């Protein structure tokens, strides 16, 4: 009877719990290969040359001589300020010059007449010296009157306001009948040279230092530092058709933002780029010799950070933050945090957690670049 009770108790015990099998994930082995070092920065369009057209004489604007929003040549007439007063000043200065020239002629004739008489003592030396002094004063009067005539001609010429540079001219800031002033430097309009045109970007000084160190260490190679290509993307996401090239890097650091300024020049024959326009620039800053490509779906983006799920040598999952560069043909370029040969989980990372055992299966080469993401990355 006791034996039967023991058998019955043994049958009532539940079977021992078994651990679930490891989850299967798809992995790829990280491989370092040369990739273009793309740096994306926000920027703003600026005219290569920009000139404020201001009044240089006082007067009433009589006419506007240009069509707003058109291209003008350097020296093209833009405004006419009432020139009658300045024309009269020119005539007055011409008369003063003629009067000074007549006085010079008279003083010169007296000196020429006295010169032979001095030797015969028909004229005293004192009288001859006074005649020579009067001649020198007459020469100074001629020079003064000539300068006054030049000055009055300049004022008269400036009554016709001309374009200081060639470019696209903006709308008029004054209308006919407006009183403008040279002392107040009244703004009349603005001329901007739009082709070529500049794009200005700012980059942190830390990023500049890191880039310089990578170049020194051979991690990044810059084949031609004098011709670094830049691609622009407009505010609607469309890529600007023509590439530009860096032409300036500021050697001063902004003490407020800790950033440096760089500039690129672009052709702009169709006038698509306009001053003040916000753009994004993609700078082809050399070749990264140790770049690693990872499919977009393998990278988990959370705010400003990016991470990857890896399979450690013991078969467990490891989560690691990485530094990402640009996106290229469906891949992220990993700049830091990942070593060649490490196993990156491409599909299935959303089903596992760090420390969990998994079964790693290699991803098909074609699927690594084209297969859809098994789960959307957090953004």
């Amino acid at each position: 009877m006791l034996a039967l009770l023991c058998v019955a108790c043994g049958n009532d015990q539940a079977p021992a719990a078994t651990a679930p099998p490891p989850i299967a994930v798809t992995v790829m082995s990280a491989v370092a290969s040369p990739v273009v070092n793309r740096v994306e920065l926000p920027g703003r369009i600026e005219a290569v040359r920009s000139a404020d057209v201001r009044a240089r004489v006082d007067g009433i604007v009589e006419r506007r001589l240009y069509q707003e929003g058109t291209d003008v040549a350097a020296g093209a007439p833009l405004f006419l300020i009432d020139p009658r007063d300045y024309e009269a000043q020119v005539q007055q200065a011409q008369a003063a010059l003629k009067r000074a020239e007549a006085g010079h002629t008279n003083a010169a004739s007296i000196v020429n007449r006295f010169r032979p008489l001095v030797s015969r003592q028909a004229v005293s030396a004192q009288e001859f010296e006074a005649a020579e002094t009067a001649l020198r004063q007459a020469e100074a009067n001629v020079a003064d009157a000539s300068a006054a005539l030049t000055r009055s001609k300049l004022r008269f010429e400036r009554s016709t306001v001309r374009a200081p540079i060639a470019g696209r001219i903006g709308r008029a800031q004054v209308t006919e009948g407006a009183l403008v002033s040279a002392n107040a430097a009244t703004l009349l309009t603005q001329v901007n040279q739009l082709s070529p045109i500049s794009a200005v970007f700012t980059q942190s000084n830390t990023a500049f230092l890191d880039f310089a160190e990578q170049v020194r260490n051979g991690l990044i190679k810059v084949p031609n530092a004098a011709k670094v290509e830049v691609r622009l993307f407009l505010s609607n996401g469309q890529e600007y058709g023509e590439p530009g090239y860096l032409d300036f890097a500021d050697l001063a650091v902004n003490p407020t933002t800790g950033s440096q300024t760089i500039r690129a020049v672009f052709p702009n024959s169709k006038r698509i780029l306009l001053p003040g326009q916000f753009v994004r620039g993609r700078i082809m800053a050399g070749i990264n010799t140790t770049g690693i490509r990872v499919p977009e779906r393998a990278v988990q983006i959370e705010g400003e950070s990016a991470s990857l799920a890896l399979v450690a040598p013991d078969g467990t999952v490891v989560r690691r933050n990485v530094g990402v560069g640009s996106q290229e043909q469906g891949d992220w370029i990993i700049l830091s945090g990942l070593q060649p040969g490490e196993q990156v989980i491409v599909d299935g990372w959303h089903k596992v957690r760090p420390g969990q055992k998994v079964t790693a299966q290699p991803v098909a080469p074609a699927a690594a670049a084209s297969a859809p993401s098994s789960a959307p990355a957090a953004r």
Side-chain angles (χ1 to χ4, degrees), residues 277-318:
Q277 190 173 3
F278 288 96
V279 293
R280 286 197 66 83
R282 180 176 292 172
I283 303 171
M284 312 304 181
I287 304 297
N288 188 338
T289 58
T290 60
I292 299 176
R293 295 174 181 267
V294 172
E296 290 179 353
R297 65 185 187 278
V299 181
Q300 301 139 54
I301 305 293
E302 295 180 359
E304 298 295 325
S305 63
S307 62
L308 292 172
L310 309 177
V311 177
D314 61 358
T316 60
V317 177
V318 176

Side-chain angles (χ1 to χ4, degrees), residues 9-283:
C9 291
N11 291 336
D12 289 342
Q13 290 179 352
T18 58
I23 296 177
V25 293
T26 304
V27 300
M28 63 168 287
S29 180
V31 178
S33 62
V35 295
V36 177
N37 182 41
R38 291 178 171 87
V39 179
E40 293 199 6
L41 297 173
R44 186 169 55 85
I45 299 298
E46 291 184 357
V48 172
R49 292 196 297 170
S50 179
D52 289 339
V53 181
R54 298 182 181 273
R56 302 179 68 183
V57 294
D58 301 335
I60 302 296
V61 176
E62 286 196 340
R63 291 200 306 274
R64 173 168 56 85
L65 305 175
Y66 73 95
Q67 181 66 36
E68 295 173 309
T70 60
D71 290 332
V72 295
L78 305 178
F79 294 90
L80 177 63
I81 299 172
D82 186 359
R84 290 173 295 179
D85 184 46
Y86 302 106
E87 186 176 11
Q89 291 178 17
V90 170
Q91 295 171 354
Q92 185 179 18
Q94 288 173 337
L97 177 60
K98 289 180 180 179
R99 185 164 52 251
E101 289 174 341
H104 176 267
T105 301
N106 181 59
S109 66
I110 292 175
V111 170
N112 293 332
R113 188 166 60 249
F114 280 6
R115 183 171 288 111
L117 298 177
V118 172
S119 59
R120 297 198 299 268
Q121 296 184 350
V123 174
S124 67
Q126 183 178 1
E127 289 177 317
F128 182 68
E129 290 175 358
E132 286 185 322
T133 300
L135 176 59
R136 288 193 291 270
Q137 290 176 344
E139 290 173 346
N141 291 338
V142 170
D144 183 60
S146 178
L149 177 60
T150 300
R151 188 165 54 249
S152 61
K153 284 182 177 179
L154 282 175
R155 282 196 291 262
F156 176 69
E157 291 173 359
R158 289 169 181 169
S159 63
T160 300
V161 182
R162 300 181 180 276
I165 61 173
R168 176 67 59 85
I169 191 165
R171 66 184 184 89
Q173 300 296 316
V174 297
T175 60
E176 291 83 351
L179 174 64
V180 296
S181 168
N183 291 333
T186 306
L187 178 63
L188 305 179
T189 188
Q190 188 179 62
V191 182
N192 293 306
Q193 181 179 325
L194 300 183
S195 183
I197 201 164
S198 296
V200 178
F201 310 95
T202 55
Q203 176 69 298
S204 69
N205 178 246
T206 303
F208 270 96
L209 295 175
D210 291 343
F211 177 76
E213 183 179 2
Q214 290 172 329
V215 172
R216 286 194 300 270
N217 295 336
L219 300 178
I220 293 179
K221 296 186 180 299
V222 183
N224 186 0
K227 198 171 183 181
V228 177
E229 183 179 309
V230 182
R231 291 279 181 175
L232 279 187
F233 293 86
L234 307 179
S235 57
N236 62 356
Q238 181 181 0
E239 182 177 358
Y240 183 65
E242 300 178 273
Y245 298 92
L246 292 182
D247 74 328
F248 170 77
D250 200 346
L251 298 180
V253 178
N254 187 314
T256 303
T257 62
S259 62
Q260 292 177 249
T261 299
I262 55 178
R263 184 182 68 196
V265 176
F266 295 82
N268 191 31
S269 57
K270 296 181 180 179
R271 304 297 194 271
I272 295 175
L273 302 177
L274 300 174
Q277 190 173 3
F278 288 96
V279 293
R280 286 197 66 83
R282 180 176 292 172
I283 303 171

Side-chain angles (χ1 to χ4, degrees), residues 294-297 328-331 346-347 363-374:
V294 172
E296 290 179 353
R297 65 185 187 278
E328 181 179 331
Q329 298 177 350
D331 294 335
V346 177
D347 296 311
V363 65
S370 60
S373 173
S374 57

